[in-house]
Amino acid sequence: MPNRNLNLILLGPPGSGKGTQGERLQEDLELPYYATGDILRAAVKDATEVGLAAREYMDRGDLVPDDVIIGLIAERLESGEADRGFILDGFPRTVPQAEALDAKLSEIGRQLTAVILIDASDEEIVRRLSGRRVSSNGGYVYHVEFNPPKVEGICDVDDSELIVRDDDKPEVVRHRLEQYHEKTAPLVDYYSRQALLNRVDGSRDPDQVGEAVRSLISTFSLEEGP
Ligand code: AP5
């Protein structure tokens, strides 16, 4: 019996809940989870060449140049670690990135299963990002009101201190939203034309959104794997 691979993209505005749902899916599905924001933040922390190039863009709330980010994802898809499926969060974010992903997948004989758009209004996003806290050691995400840790200021999973992300300052959040509407929202049409787009209302609470995402996934017809 061949494996059935899930090759999934989580799309949506900043703060819509992609990371929150991505963490849950990663645990449920045991698939490689590539969140480009997390990958870039780790590169900044380690002061790698990519991190040094990306930092100023991220701090301003601008997108990092396409060639930098496409290389990071292509590397992972070519490595073999995603041969049994993958979850992409935060990539692609521009039409050229989506075209590069299509080209890479076709080169390695793979195809996308689906794109899940987790949507929320700009107003809701500003509310969420102003209360977001993240673990200082990794990518665990909380909200002071909507998803608080068990002990205030401490990550439930790795006990690290919870911090505010540099790009969650209000003026940077506004700029990230502008970038989303200008450069990433065209992907909604791009993937609708390929009949891959599935929309989830991200304004409900995290458990309800998670339930909607899981029930959608159960309806997908999956790629035959090795
Ligand atoms: P990235 O880290 O990807 O940021 P983002 O897309 O702006 O997304 P966020 O991480 O802010 O939000 P999220 O949707 O994951 O929401 P979360 O679950 O945390 O990218 C950062 C930067 O890196 C970019 O600005 C860019 O510079 C660069 N970059 C990354 N990828 C790139 C690419 N492909 N090309 C170029 N540049 C790139 O939730 C938010 C908050 O809300 C949390 O506090 C959470 O607890 C809470 N919450 C979540 N769900 C709910 C809910 N249903 N109800 C109430 N609260 C909720």
Side-chain angles (χ1 to χ4, degrees), residues 1-5 84 223-226:
M1 175 92 169
N3 286 309
R4 314 293 284 177
N5 292 343
R84 289 174 185 273
E223 179 192 63
E224 286 201 0

Side-chain angles (χ1 to χ4, degrees), residues 14-15 18-20 36 41 62 90 93 97 132 142 176 204:
K18 303 180 297 297
T20 300
T36 41
R41 277 185 290 280
D62 279 329
R93 238 178 171 100
Q97 290 180 19
R132 173 161 61 184
Y142 300 85
R176 284 164 62 201
R204 291 170 294 169

